[in-house]
Amino acid sequence: MNFFSTRGGIRGHLLSEALRLGAAPDGGLFMPEALPRHDAAGFDPESPLATFAAQWLRPLFAEDSLAPELDRICAEAFTFPVPIVMPDETRPRLHALELFHGPTGAFKDFGARFLMSCFDRLAGAEPLTVLAATSGDTGGAVGAAAEGRASVRAVILFPKGRVSPFQERQLTCWGDNVVAIEVDGDFDDCQRLAKAAFADSALSGRHRLTSANSINLGRLLPQAAYVAHAAVRLAASSGATPGFIVPSGNLGHGFATLLARAMGAPIGPVVLATNANATLGDWSRGQGYEPRPSVATLANAMDVGDPSNFERLLALGVTPDDLVVEQVDDRCIADRIVQDYARSGYVWCPHSATAAEAFERLLPSARDERPCLAAATAHPFKFADVVEPLIGRRLEPSPPLAGIEGRPVRKRAIAPALHALRELLDAGPFPA
């Protein structure tokens, strides 16, 4: 299996090369040259996620040096449960795919752990420097997955004042091989810095830079696998092809869902739920794709004005006719959290609440037609400052999140300029 760049200048890379580079040298994103198509009937809905994921992803690893390691990579990455629950028995068609039972309480734990397991096998004698821009949850997942690994050093860029207090603690509490950098700007500034660093060939070569953002295909493949696994499970138990509703910011999760469907997963209509950032919504309404500055919202991890993975949607052949984009503003996020807690006792995080609200906006005929999986992307405790005042009670952390509370924290601060990041990297931010 070979991979090409969405910008057309690069072809013929094997998967391990695509993962090692992160982004293509021409600035594009890697995609498989030939998309494998599975018969979902050949997959056991009762199989463990790690077993299912290895079977689902195997064609993409064909003839690659990582192919003999795929079973072990999946076994290392998929070590926590992914339950499908019914949040409200009065709405039996709505199911939540709970993706927050990992070490940092967010769906990005899957991709970060999968990618770091790949890097363990690709790094060689010198560690890779994993550069990750984060709007909230990516950095914590990358830090947790990278901590203590000899194969990588992680540098996490996060926007000053634009993450929740718990998210910031989770970004800044890891070991000596993980450094958190507070950028005086928004997420798009962090993302631009990361892209500029990769484009600087001397800097990238000097530090063996690679990416742990969703620009790296290794972040998205495990997401496509768990989406396919969930679809096969729910289709088997319900006898119907489920729809999916996915909270979307940088479009990695949304793309992974559409990729799983294109590879043969039994997935019906796909709804991408966004917050007040309107770039994707305007495109879906035929107004063209126009990047803009990000808008700060309650669902801060989705505060993206120029989603990187839009290039992959186009490369996959996705058009506005292939999905629905539902915009959910802060008032509706808050109202959905309040209403669903009062109705059933179930607590959504602000991001997951965009999916719950999108389900509520479906036409009654569409809600009744098939089961629908809403991706519950983060544990609500991570956003206690938002959620607790709305529901009127304290939230309890999961055991992994409780363990983060007592860790010491440290961070660096820089301006949103490449020279500032270059100076920090060259000064050696990592203890000897």
Side-chain angles (χ1 to χ4, degrees), residues 103-296:
T104 70
F107 75 98
K108 295 181 180 180
D109 283 323
F110 295 96
R113 287 161 64 87
F114 184 92
L115 188 57
M116 295 304 161
S117 290
C118 292
F119 287 158
D120 278 347
R121 293 156 171 87
L122 295 175
E126 294 293 324
L128 302 172
T129 299
V130 179
L131 184 61
T134 185
S135 53
D137 286 333
T138 294
V142 169
E147 185 178 45
R149 293 182 188 262
S151 63
V152 297
R153 306 179 302 178
V155 177
I156 300 166
L157 307 173
F158 71 95
K160 181 179 181 179
R162 300 287 285 266
V163 300
S164 77
F166 186 83
Q167 281 178 315
E168 180 166 332
R169 169 167 288 279
Q170 202 170 47
L171 293 170
T172 57
C173 71
W174 307 110
D176 286 347
N177 70 321
V178 181
V179 172
I181 302 175
E182 182 182 66
V183 177
D184 191 7
D186 60 19
F187 170 72
D188 293 313
D189 291 317
C190 296
Q191 189 160 252
R192 277 190 290 271
L193 262 185
K195 289 180 178 178
F198 289 119
D200 183 331
S201 58
L203 180 66
S204 183
R206 200 157 59 242
H207 294 284
R208 303 191 75 204
L209 291 184
T210 188
S211 175
N213 279 100
S214 61
I215 62 173
N216 195 315
L217 190 61
R219 272 275 313 279
L220 306 184
L221 297 182
Q223 293 175 8
Y226 70 61
V227 164
H229 186 236
V232 168
R233 290 158 62 198
L234 189 54
S237 65
S238 68
T241 301
F244 266 75
I245 306 178
V246 186
S248 298
N250 208 31
L251 269 180
H253 210 189
F255 167 78
T257 302
L258 293 164
L259 177 64
R261 185 171 71 175
M263 290 176 65
I267 296 173
V270 172
V271 178
L272 304 183
T274 70
N275 56 22
N277 287 274
T279 303
L280 190 63
D282 287 350
W283 168 78
S284 74
R285 292 185 288 271
Q287 298 175 28
Y289 182 81
E290 183 181 347
R292 65 205 65 188
S294 62
V295 176

Side-chain angles (χ1 to χ4, degrees), residues 315-385:
L316 193 61
V318 174
T319 73
D321 293 334
D322 297 318
L323 49 79
V324 172
V325 177
E326 194 68 55
Q327 280 183 249
V328 182
D329 62 20
D330 277 359
R331 179 183 61 82
C332 292
I333 290 172
D335 286 350
R336 181 52 47 202
I337 292 171
V338 170
Q339 291 173 26
D340 282 10
Y341 178 70
R343 183 171 175 169
S344 69
Y346 195 80
V347 183
W348 302 102
C349 86
H351 310 79
S352 309
T354 66
E357 174 65 18
F359 174 82
E360 201 65 24
R361 294 180 186 181
L362 295 174
L363 293 173
S365 57
R367 289 202 302 268
D368 294 339
E369 181 182 10
R370 65 182 73 241
C372 193
L373 272 167
T377 53
H379 195 289
F381 179 80
K382 298 184 72 169
F383 306 93
D385 58 321

